[in-house]
Amino acid sequence: METYKVIIVGMGKRGMHHAAAFHANPRFKVAGICDIDKARLEAAAPKLGNPQISTDARTLAASVKPDIFCFCTLPHLRSDLIKAGIESGAKLIAFEKPIALTSAEGMKIKQMLDAAKVKAVVSHQHRYGEHYKKVHDIIASGALGRLNTVYGTATGWMMHMMSHLIDYALWFNPGAKAQWVMAQAAGRGKMTDIHPSPDYIAGFIHFSNGVRGIVDCGAGAPDVPEVPYWWRKCRIGAQGTDGFAEVMTGGGWRAVTKTGSHGGEGSMNYDLDMPPYIQEMADWLDNDKKLHACNFNSAYEGFEIMMALCRSVIEGGQVALPLTSGMDEMAALKEKLPQRKVLFSLPENAKEYPG
């Protein structure tokens, strides 16, 4: 079997998660790593088989000529690195969510990838957790009867968490397209964050099969008291005519169906979630028919929904999908959101949303 050469740009926490998983898989060779911090590179290299190091991504890519161009950088650097990956001749580009900070940039990225015919994946890797898969399997089995609702909540802010919520809601309601959304938001404190977001945003998604999506993200999102770790207070699930099933990122899963109540353990774990995410890249490169579960086109559907929710806040009322033109939603939100301080759903949120 072919071994695929990989370079990883950005060697922070998430970059090291990716690099370690690539290095542990015999289908890949970590051929290069890049970061603006040379000391970080020198510390990481011995753990990864001593690949080539560079503080310049394009120079490294030109030298290595990778099969996979992976980057794990701050979200304002997306389109330039997508371009660098395409120019490197990589067969696949892997990168972190969110796809972009605005629909204008997201559309530009999609156009570049489509024109170059380069595969791409976006790391919504929580779906590989056993508790996530268990809930998906219950829903897919038909045990909930006719679905009527999919939902996701998280106390973390939008650019960190909402693409995860939407991606897994789409996974639980496969094949249906979002037709319109409507949303409201509050709080400006996180608009200056490196992941700029309203402090709180909540909205509805109408799907083509009649299922209603509900997303609730930020300072006003409901508590998940079963989960003590604040960043993992996320709940994603589905309801149907015969019951419900839901997963909690840091607290297992539960379901009620005609056969009774059920539940189990599980928590987000990069050591368990990253290996299958990485392996599917090799599978997809081996065989075009083995589409990666986190493929770009699937992630882009969720990205459009998130940007449409922002536009509903900005413009008022319903916003139709798919979007037909790009805009800078973050700049518009800064102007639209009122100066009033956001109200909290639980006391712990005051520490995370001081603005």
Side-chain angles (χ1 to χ4, degrees):
M1 300 290 281
E2 184 176 355
T3 300
Y4 295 109
K5 290 189 297 181
V6 186
I7 66 171
I8 300 102
V9 180
M11 295 305 295
K13 177 182 174 182
R14 287 296 289 137
M16 281 301 297
H17 286 150
H18 281 76
F22 278 121
H23 183 58
N25 189 316
R27 295 301 312 282
F28 302 97
K29 175 179 174 57
V30 177
I33 56 175
C34 178
D35 197 283
I36 58 174
D37 184 342
K38 191 173 182 181
R40 182 181 280 178
L41 291 173
E42 291 170 345
K47 303 173 186 176
L48 303 170
N50 289 305
Q52 188 172 332
I53 67 173
S54 176
T55 57
D56 183 86
R58 279 186 168 82
T59 299
L60 180 65
S63 174
V64 171
K65 296 180 174 55
D67 298 301
I68 297 176
F69 184 98
C70 173
F71 65 92
C72 307
T73 61
L74 296 179
H76 68 283
L77 301 174
R78 295 291 189 260
S79 55
D80 284 347
L81 285 170
I82 293 289
K83 184 179 180 183
I86 291 170
E87 291 174 349
S88 77
K91 301 170 184 174
L92 185 148
I93 298 173
F95 64 109
E96 281 287 285
K97 53 79 191 168
I99 282 175
L101 296 179
T102 70
S103 63
E105 185 180 28
M107 289 178 179
K108 177 182 177 182
I109 287 170
K110 188 176 189 306
Q111 289 165 359
M112 286 194 291
L113 291 170
D114 287 349
K117 294 182 171 58
V118 173
K119 294 179 171 71
V121 298
V122 181
S123 62
H124 292 119
Q125 78 291 331
H126 298 336
R127 67 168 61 218
Y128 299 98
E130 290 301 320
H131 52 327
Y132 275 82
K133 291 192 289 184
K134 181 63 177 180
V135 168
H136 172 266
D137 290 348
I138 291 170
I139 297 166
S141 76
L144 304 188
R146 178 181 56 80
L147 285 189
N148 51 49
T149 309
V150 290
Y151 57 88
T153 75
T155 47
W157 49 102
M158 181 186 78
M159 282 295 180
H160 271 299
M161 303 306 302
M162 187 175 276
S163 72
H164 279 295
L165 302 182
I166 296 171
D167 191 77
Y168 309 136
L170 291 170
W171 186 35
F172 293 164
N173 184 32
K177 299 296 184 182
Q179 295 182 323
W180 56 261
V181 306
M182 190 165 72
Q184 188 52 276
R188 292 185 174 193
K190 292 299 182 185
M191 289 305 302
T192 55
D193 189 77
I194 56 174
H195 289 80
S197 311
D199 291 344
Y200 178 49
I201 182 168
F204 300 101
I205 308 160
H206 177 73
F207 290 101
S208 57
N209 61 351
V211 170
R212 179 55 49 94
I214 303 171
V215 286
D216 203 350
C217 194
D223 189 13
V224 183
E226 301 86 349
V227 180
Y229 182 50
W230 189 85
W231 274 108
R232 297 184 183 179
K233 287 181 176 290
C234 309
R235 179 166 41 222
I236 308 102
Q239 296 177 359
T241 53
D242 295 335
F244 82 95
E246 65 181 17
V247 59
M248 293 162 284
T249 297
W253 65 275
R254 58 193 173 198
V256 175
T257 70
K258 283 185 173 181
T259 62
S261 61
H262 315 273
E265 297 180 351
S267 186
M268 175 184 148
N269 185 329
Y270 287 120
D271 291 338
L272 299 178
D273 299 348
M274 289 299 293
Y277 167 72
I278 295 297
Q279 177 59 41
E280 282 191 15
M281 295 185 204
D283 297 341
W284 195 15
L285 288 173
D286 290 343
N287 184 343
D288 288 345
K289 294 181 180 179
K290 292 185 177 181
L291 185 65
H292 198 293
C294 299
N295 68 85
F296 176 85
N297 286 339
S298 177
Y300 189 80
E301 282 189 50
F303 170 75
E304 273 200 312
I305 290 170
M306 184 170 71
M307 291 296 102
L309 290 164
C310 291
R311 290 195 194 191
S312 178
V313 175
I314 296 159
E315 300 168 0
Q318 296 163 291
V319 174
L321 287 160
L323 299 177
T324 57
S325 61
M327 73 176 291
D328 184 340
E329 288 84 0
M330 296 307 104
L333 280 171
K334 286 179 183 178
E335 296 297 321
K336 178 67 177 182
L337 290 170
Q339 294 280 4
R340 295 189 302 273
K341 185 174 174 62
V342 71
L343 303 177
F344 305 123
S345 58
L346 62 155
E348 298 97 305
N349 288 0
K351 179 180 71 174
E352 300 292 343
Y353 297 95

